[in-house]
Amino acid sequence: DAMVIQNPRYQVTQFGKPVTLSCSQTLNHNVMYWYQQKSSQAPKLLFHYYDKDFNNEADTPDNFQSRRPNTSFCFLDIRSPGLGDAAMYLCATSRDRREKLFFGSGTQLSVL
Amino acid sequence: DAKTTQPNSMESNEEEPVHLPCNHSTISGTDYIHWYRQLPSQGPEYVIHGLTSNVNNRMASLAIAEDRKSSTLILHRATLRDAAVYYCIRGEYGGSQGNLIFGKGTKLSVKP
């Protein structure tokens, strides 16, 4: 059974049109992460939530925001997607910061 | 600055052991060493992690140098399903941050 679920698997949006990606978890983990992975590159951490505490990476563009309305769900909002934002977006969870990560299968975002 | 250095690619024969090296010469005393792998079109998957002592689990073994500046992931008998990109990661837990920053990884090919 999937424990970290990302929907949709593929998302197409238009240049400049806001888009939201979703992630849910059945593990009741405290920490939820969003990574961006471009083709043939390593995943890049955008931000993470420790419970309700939001932690942004210093080089994450302002165009990317996140919401965590409850323990189970976390959303990635891209306010004005550019062509350079086309990538795989990976959600991950961990019980605590020093614990191993569980990844979802990712959402492949295309920007037209 | 990925803070870990790995070979871009390695090849192995099926059913032979594989040793994947990683250098992390600037590691601090509290940083864990994590290994994840990513199969094509999937999210990364946890393999193993450790701090100082060598570690074993059902997937692999992790050998950590005495000075902790390098480590080696050991797959005891490679199978075709082990073909993936393997990431060696420093888990940095200083201050209020606690996150995994991926390096470029090693692409492992397994030949029948």
Side-chain angles (χ1 to χ4, degrees):
Chain A
D1 290 339
M3 296 177 287
V4 182
I5 303 159
Q6 292 189 244
N7 285 309
R9 185 74 175 90
Y10 299 94
Q11 175 75 56
V12 180
T13 190
Q14 292 179 335
F15 183 94
K17 183 176 181 180
V19 65
T20 295
L21 309 181
S22 71
C23 176
S24 64
Q25 56 139 335
T26 59
L27 299 164
N28 202 36
H29 281 174
N30 289 318
V31 194
M32 295 188 77
Y33 307 79
W34 280 104
Y35 284 84
Q36 178 194 62
Q37 186 174 28
K38 296 186 177 180
S39 182
S40 301
Q41 296 185 19
K44 179 180 181 295
L45 181 65
L46 296 174
F47 25 59
H48 76 275
Y49 274 95
Y50 185 91
D51 196 11
K52 296 180 181 179
D53 182 26
F54 178 70
N55 298 272
N56 200 30
E57 291 301 297
D59 57 355
T60 298
D62 293 340
N63 198 27
F64 292 86
Q65 298 185 341
S66 186
R67 296 170 284 135
R68 189 179 185 186
N70 54 52
T71 300
S72 301
F73 286 87
C74 195
F75 300 99
L76 171 62
D77 300 309
I78 308 176
R79 291 192 296 184
S80 182
L83 299 179
D85 296 327
M88 174 73 79
Y89 289 88
L90 295 161
C91 174
T93 73
S94 65
R95 187 168 56 182
D96 206 329
R97 285 196 176 107
R98 295 173 185 260
E99 306 271 349
K100 66 182 181 182
L101 269 62
F102 293 80
F103 281 85
S105 297
T107 294
Q108 182 67 51
L109 178 69
S110 299
V111 181
L112 304 180
Chain B
D1 179 13
K3 302 180 182 178
T4 61
T5 305
Q6 300 175 252
N8 288 333
S9 62
M10 291 185 64
E11 278 190 353
S12 173
N13 294 316
E14 196 175 12
E15 298 191 2
E16 290 187 355
V18 182
H19 289 67
L20 298 166
C22 180
N23 288 318
H24 29 78
S25 57
T26 61
I27 196 167
S28 73
T30 57
D31 290 350
Y32 279 73
I33 300 149
H34 298 253
W35 284 83
Y36 284 75
R37 71 180 186 181
Q38 187 172 23
L39 280 66
S41 301
Q42 295 187 24
E45 172 190 29
Y46 169 82
V47 178
I48 201 167
H49 77 289
L51 183 62
T52 55
S53 304
N54 294 343
V55 184
N56 300 293
N57 66 22
R58 63 174 181 81
M59 289 182 70
S61 296
L62 176 59
I64 302 171
E66 197 169 332
D67 64 5
R68 300 206 336 118
K69 293 184 177 182
S70 65
S71 61
T72 302
L73 179 70
I74 303 165
L75 306 179
H76 296 285
R77 288 185 65 198
T79 70
L80 297 178
R81 289 175 294 179
D82 292 323
V85 178
Y86 286 78
Y87 294 101
C88 168
I89 306 159
R90 276 173 49 179
E92 302 178 20
Y93 303 106
S96 63
Q97 295 296 316
N99 50 52
L100 300 184
I101 307 298
F102 282 68
K104 295 184 178 180
T106 296
K107 184 175 184 178
L108 176 66
S109 302
V110 180
K111 295 183 291 185

